[in-house]
Amino acid sequence: MVGHCTGSIAPTASPSFETLVELGYGCPEAYSESVEYESGDLVMVEASIDPSRKVVYECKAMPSGAFCNSGIQFSPGSPNSDLGWKLKGFCNGTMTPTASPAGVDAASACAAIPVYSPVGNYDSGDRVRKGDKIYECRGFPFYLWCSNAFYEPQDLPGLWSQVWKQTGTC
């Protein structure tokens, strides 16, 4: 015999959406394991279908934000989600798209982005170009290696992608 008990356990309260704040700008894109998330990224998780309830999470800042890309075990709404995700509130509808930029000359925009230099001094958020590709130095703690020539952005997969993120082309 392991032990005994008397009486009964009182039932717990059902989860309530009244305590969450409605985010008035619509729902962000649904969470996907195939997307690489960064600090500050917002995602939507459908908590229930009938009635429809959509919950919004934000990827935390580093180092906790590393859990945002650690698989289904750490996805928003999972038992481990609080390691990398912060519950922001609930949402309805879709986010309004932003207006596309007008009158931007691609050649001059690319010329404004400095060419990568193996002896450059780079910080989080710095953008460089190499060939026709644009790269951005990742946030903490990865930016600490952006100035290291070993992590120079490449066309091939490699360790450099832990430090730099390709953000576009010229």
Side-chain angles (χ1 to χ4, degrees), residues 56-164:
V56 178
Y57 289 86
E58 178 181 16
C59 182
K60 292 181 179 179
M62 288 300 207
S64 298
F67 285 102
C68 295
N69 299 304
S70 295
I72 195 73
Q73 301 89 341
F74 300 95
S75 64
S78 72
N80 299 315
S81 67
D82 62 327
L83 293 171
W85 296 95
K86 178 181 178 183
L87 180 62
K88 296 296 284 186
F90 70 96
C91 64
N92 288 305
T94 56
M95 294 180 98
T96 306
T98 57
S100 55
V104 176
D105 176 20
S108 62
C110 282
I113 300 171
V115 174
Y116 174 83
S117 170
V119 294
N121 187 15
Y122 301 109
D123 203 354
S124 176
D126 286 351
R127 294 184 341 148
V128 297
R129 63 185 162 93
K130 188 171 175 193
D132 66 343
K133 294 185 173 56
I134 301 170
Y135 301 92
E136 183 177 316
C137 178
R138 294 185 185 271
F140 180 84
F142 308 106
Y143 78 89
L144 298 170
W145 291 276
C146 288
S147 298
N148 185 327
F150 179 77
Y151 294 97
E152 177 178 346
Q154 303 289 323
D155 282 335
L156 301 172
L159 288 175
W160 68 268
S161 64
Q162 294 178 1
V163 176
W164 294 94

Side-chain angles (χ1 to χ4, degrees), residues 15-28 42-48 51-58 86-95:
S16 172
F17 280 87
E18 286 81 38
T19 59
L20 293 179
V21 176
E22 181 175 8
L23 306 176
Y25 46 78
C27 293
L42 296 175
V43 297
M44 178 272 299
V45 173
E46 197 155 353
S48 68
S52 177
R53 293 188 175 134
K54 298 174 181 175
V55 182
V56 178
Y57 289 86
E58 178 181 16
K86 178 181 178 183
L87 180 62
K88 296 296 284 186
F90 70 96
C91 64
N92 288 305
T94 56
M95 294 180 98

